[in-house]
């Protein structure tokens, strides 16, 4: 039996499952969401569903699928999906919760249903746009065409949508949107606003519209913090479906911890009323809407995401496949702890006391070790280079300001990144590396550059000086080239020996 609205009454599970009240299906569409991924569904849509159950938001989500035209997985299940929340409490006892999320009303494919998406702009109930289009999604497309159906980039699509809204409501000041990007880049809302305004100017749209864009709409910086791995493996999926008594092709698994920090004023807070269902500022849990969220962002971006970027390739090359496997290895676990506590936490480019950073780091170690989550290392390597730039390079630069010498553990992690990018073959524009005789796909835009560099045995200085990659010349950092080069050689000999030397 496949999960669907019709089959809800027939569910007979061996575990408690929170089912939606039938009244939720009559709620108005209030949010336009760009992205179908598990992070949006496992965190943002989770909060909306939770609020709807408590009667404090009362709105549903129209999801935009930007690539491809197949929305059948969502349509066949009437947009329903199950969220399994798994973890351990403070006493080490397992937590297990299952929720059928009914927050999504429709899923529309931008390439084939752009007119239906634009029609949402005329809906007066729709007040919110959220997005997660990966860390390369918030960029200015120099060749964007706002008249296309649809425009190519996410900022282009958003500009076209807001233009349609402006026209539908004749520029009414109270019909602007609250726009909350969740892409993991600093100042995501601020940067998205700049790009949208630039696209409107380049598209020669009316001056009145451009003024409305800047004054009637709120572009909010935001931060999301919840580990929501990709689709469960076949064994785990079968176990979940046996417990639940039905099939669910959209099932997602998340940890218990959840945080969505949004930079906004009281006006924003009144629109994003789903925060009333889950908000605990003392423990940094739930939806937190404040004028300044930099503290939350920096802790998460530098320690959680930063440590992931410096360890994913390293642990993968050492034979691990998931974060929890890495944490089960005493040497790998010690490495990430020392990396966070000794090199990353002191170098956070924000005024956060070291004890606070290390306390947060300690909580991360417990979250990484969650035995119920299979957070695949290869999934973390997606857009590896841009992640390394935004998450880690600022830490490296701050470290040098403070210490002046190469950070050993950081150098090892960076060396593993360079080695991970070593493709041995290219097929139809895709590049494949090799680990222990098995090939793996390198899902990163500079993969072709590295393929050529490795093949001609280029000098590491070319990597470190690439301004497109890092925004600066890392060769200028004393000793960094030498330590990274050393660890590349060491990793090729023995990842275990490289770990041990960095920890010596």
């Amino acid at each position: 039996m496949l999960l669907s609205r019709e089959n809800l009454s027939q569910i007979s599970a061996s575990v408690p499952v929170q089912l939606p009240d039938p009244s939720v299906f009559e709620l108005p569409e209030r949010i336009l969401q760009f992205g179908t991924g598990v992070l949006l569904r496992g965190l943002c849509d989770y909060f909306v569903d939770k609020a709807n159950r408590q009667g404090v938001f009362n709105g549903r989500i129209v999801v935009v699928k930007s690539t491809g035209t197949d929305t059948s997985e969502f349509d066949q299940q009437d947009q329903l999906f199950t969220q399994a929340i798994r973890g351990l409490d403070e006493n080490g006892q397992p937590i297990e919760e299952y929720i059928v999320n009914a927050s999504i009303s429709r899923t529309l494919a931008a390439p084939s249903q752009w007119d239906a998406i634009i029609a949402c702009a005329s809906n007066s109930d729709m007040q919110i746009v959220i997005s997660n289009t990966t860390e390369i999604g918030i960029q200015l497309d120099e060749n964007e065409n706002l008249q296309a159906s649809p425009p190519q980039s996410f900022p282009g699509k958003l500009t076209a949508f807001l233009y349609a809204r402006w026209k539908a409501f004749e520029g009414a000041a109270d019909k602007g949107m609250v726009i909350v990007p969740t892409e993991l880049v600093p100042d995501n809302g601020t940067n998205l606003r700049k790009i949208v305004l630039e696209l409107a100017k380049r598209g020669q749209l009316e001056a009145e519209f451009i003024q409305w864009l800047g004054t009637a709409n709120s572009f909010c910086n935001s931060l999301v913090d919840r580990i929501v791995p990709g689709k469960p493996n076949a064994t785990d999926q079968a176990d979940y479906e046996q417990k639940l008594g039905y099939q669910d092709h959209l099932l997602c698994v998340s940890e218990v911890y959840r945080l969505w920090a949004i930079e906004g004023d009281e006006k924003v807070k009144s629109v994003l009323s789903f925060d009333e269902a889950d908000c605990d500022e003392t423990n940094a849990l739930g939806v937190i809407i404040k004028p300044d969220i930099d503290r939350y962002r920096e802790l998460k971006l530098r320690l959680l995401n930063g440590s992931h970027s410096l360890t994913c390739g390293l642990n993968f090359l050492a034979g691990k496949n998931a974060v929890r496997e890495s944490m089960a290895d005493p040497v790998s676990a010690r490495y990430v702890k020392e990396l966070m506590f000794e090199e990353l936490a002191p170098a956070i480019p924000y005024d956060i006391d070291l004890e606070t950073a290390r306390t947060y780091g300690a909580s991360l170690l417990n979250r990484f070790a969650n035995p119920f989550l299979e957070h695949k290392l290869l999934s973390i390597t997606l857009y590896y280079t841009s992640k390394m730039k935004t998450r880690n390079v600022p830490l490296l630069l701050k470290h040098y300001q403070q210490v002046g010498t190469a950070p050993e553990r950081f150098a090892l992690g960076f060396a593993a990144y360079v080695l991970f990018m070593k493709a041995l073959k290219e097929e139809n524009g895709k590049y494949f590396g090799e680990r222990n005789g098995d090939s793996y796909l390198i899902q990163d835009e500079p993969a072709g550059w590295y393929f050529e560099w490795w093949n001609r045995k280029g000098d590491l200085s070319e990597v470190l000086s690439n301004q497109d990659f890092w925004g600066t010349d890392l060769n200028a950092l004393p000793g960094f080239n030498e330590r990274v080069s050393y660890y590349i050689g060491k990793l090729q000999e023995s990842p275990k020996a490289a770990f041990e030397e960095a920890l010596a």
Side-chain angles (χ1 to χ4, degrees):
M1 180 177 72
L2 183 66
L3 176 64
S4 67
R5 184 175 173 181
E6 181 181 356
N7 290 335
L8 286 174
S9 61
Q10 301 176 45
I11 291 175
S12 178
S14 61
V15 292
V17 181
Q18 298 179 40
L19 300 177
D21 188 278
S23 62
V24 75
F25 298 105
E26 308 306 319
L27 295 176
E29 295 174 339
R30 295 187 59 192
I31 300 175
L32 186 69
Q33 172 177 301
F34 286 86
T36 61
V38 292
L39 180 60
L40 282 171
R41 291 193 286 117
L43 184 68
C44 305
D45 300 355
Y46 162 85
F47 287 127
V48 172
D49 183 75
K50 188 172 186 177
N52 285 341
R53 291 172 187 271
Q54 297 179 22
V56 295
F57 178 69
N58 299 321
R60 301 184 80 200
I61 302 166
V62 176
V63 170
V64 177
K65 187 176 189 291
S66 293
T67 57
T69 60
D70 185 6
T71 62
S72 59
E73 280 195 328
F74 286 85
D75 298 336
Q76 290 169 3
Q77 297 187 186
D78 298 320
Q79 321 302 322
L80 299 171
F81 67 91
T82 310
Q83 182 168 355
I85 301 174
R86 306 292 305 276
L88 301 174
D89 65 18
E90 59 272 15
N91 298 314
Q93 297 302 307
I95 295 173
E96 188 173 10
E97 184 179 5
Y98 297 93
I99 302 166
V100 173
N101 188 307
S103 63
I104 299 174
S105 60
R106 293 183 288 164
T107 301
L108 303 175
S112 59
Q113 296 174 289
W114 185 239
D115 288 345
I117 294 166
I118 287 295
C120 293
S122 302
N123 176 4
S124 60
D125 289 320
M126 191 160 282
Q127 298 175 285
I128 303 163
V129 175
I130 61 179
S131 68
N132 193 293
T133 55
T134 77
E135 283 155 289
I136 63 171
I138 301 182
Q139 291 186 6
L140 177 65
D141 185 341
E142 298 286 349
N143 301 310
E144 185 60 276
N145 176 12
L146 297 178
Q147 309 305 318
S149 296
Q152 180 65 30
S153 68
F154 161 57
K157 293 180 179 72
L158 178 59
T159 306
F161 176 84
L162 292 173
Y163 185 55
R165 182 144 181 114
W166 176 75
K167 290 195 294 185
F169 293 101
E170 300 179 340
D174 64 344
K175 295 304 180 184
M177 306 287 287
V178 173
I179 300 148
V180 190
T182 66
E183 289 82 353
L184 192 62
V185 292
D187 301 320
N188 44 21
T190 301
N191 288 327
L192 180 58
R193 181 179 186 273
K194 290 177 182 176
I195 295 170
V196 168
L197 286 169
E198 180 64 23
L199 287 172
K201 292 173 185 174
R202 292 188 181 195
Q204 299 182 329
L205 302 181
E206 293 90 331
E208 294 83 0
F209 166 64
I210 294 173
Q211 182 180 14
W212 178 86
L213 259 184
T215 58
N217 298 274
S218 299
F219 289 80
C220 304
N221 296 322
S222 90
L223 158 79
V224 287
D225 189 355
R226 187 176 222 177
I227 299 173
V228 189
K231 187 177 179 66
N233 62 43
T235 301
D236 288 347
Q237 180 78 15
D239 288 343
Y240 283 123
E241 292 183 348
Q242 184 176 19
K243 287 181 180 179
L244 296 168
Y246 58 83
Q247 288 184 305
D248 183 351
H249 302 313
L250 300 172
L251 184 145
C252 68
V253 185
S254 74
E255 65 175 333
V256 178
Y257 183 85
R258 70 271 175 210
L259 172 67
W260 190 6
I262 302 169
E263 203 166 85
D265 55 18
E266 288 303 315
K267 176 187 173 184
V268 167
K269 193 176 176 69
S270 68
V271 174
L272 306 180
S273 58
F274 47 75
D275 74 312
E276 298 174 28
D278 192 345
C279 178
D280 180 356
E281 286 192 30
T282 302
N283 295 301
L285 287 172
V287 182
I288 296 176
I289 304 172
K290 296 174 71 71
D292 183 354
I293 62 165
D294 284 351
R295 173 179 174 274
Y296 301 105
R297 185 198 68 196
E298 285 297 314
L299 283 170
K300 194 258 182 173
L301 182 66
R302 308 306 176 189
L303 297 187
L304 190 157
N305 302 110
S307 64
H308 268 345
S309 293
L310 285 167
T311 58
C312 59
L314 179 60
N315 283 312
F316 179 79
L317 294 174
K320 310 292 193 304
N321 293 308
V323 174
R324 67 184 180 190
E325 286 181 56
S326 305
M327 295 303 293
D329 182 317
V331 175
S332 298
R334 181 186 162 198
Y335 169 79
V336 70
K337 179 180 179 180
E338 292 189 8
L339 173 71
M340 270 201 284
F341 282 39
E342 305 304 327
E343 294 181 355
L344 304 187
I348 294 175
Y350 188 77
D351 187 18
I352 297 174
D353 68 89
L354 187 55
E355 191 57 37
T356 296
R358 286 177 171 167
T359 298
Y360 177 73
S363 73
L364 288 179
L365 296 176
N366 290 330
R367 292 167 62 189
F368 291 170
N370 188 332
F372 304 109
L373 299 184
E374 187 178 30
H375 197 179
K376 293 181 174 63
L377 296 172
L378 277 180
S379 69
I380 302 173
T381 66
L382 182 68
Y383 304 120
Y384 208 162
T385 304
S386 66
K387 288 177 178 177
M388 191 69 76
K389 175 184 178 181
T390 58
R391 300 171 176 185
N392 298 106
V393 168
L395 290 164
L396 180 63
L397 298 178
K398 184 65 178 290
H399 172 88
Y400 267 92
Q401 290 176 11
Q402 295 172 329
V403 180
T405 59
E408 287 294 311
R409 303 166 192 84
F410 192 113
L412 173 59
F414 196 93
Y417 150 77
V418 177
L419 188 57
F420 179 90
M421 298 294 290
K422 183 179 182 179
L424 296 184
K425 62 180 178 180
E426 180 268 332
E427 295 179 358
N428 301 317
K430 294 182 178 181
Y431 297 88
F432 296 85
E434 187 176 290
R435 181 191 70 171
N436 299 330
D438 296 322
S439 64
Y440 60 85
L441 177 63
I442 301 172
Q443 300 183 80
D444 194 21
E445 190 174 341
W449 186 96
Y450 275 100
F451 183 63
E452 185 272 336
W453 178 79
W454 273 105
N455 276 343
R456 64 176 170 80
K457 299 179 180 179
D459 192 84
L460 180 62
S461 62
E462 297 174 56
V463 174
L464 300 184
S465 65
N466 194 312
Q467 298 272 345
D468 291 337
F469 292 174
W470 319 119
T472 189
D473 184 356
L474 300 182
N475 286 305
L477 304 176
F480 189 63
N481 184 310
E482 290 79 2
R483 297 313 295 162
V484 172
S485 179
Y486 175 80
Y487 279 121
I488 290 174
K490 205 72 178 173
L491 284 167
Q492 290 175 308
E493 294 173 12
S494 167
K496 181 180 179 182
F499 265 116
E500 291 172 349
E501 183 150 345
L503 294 172

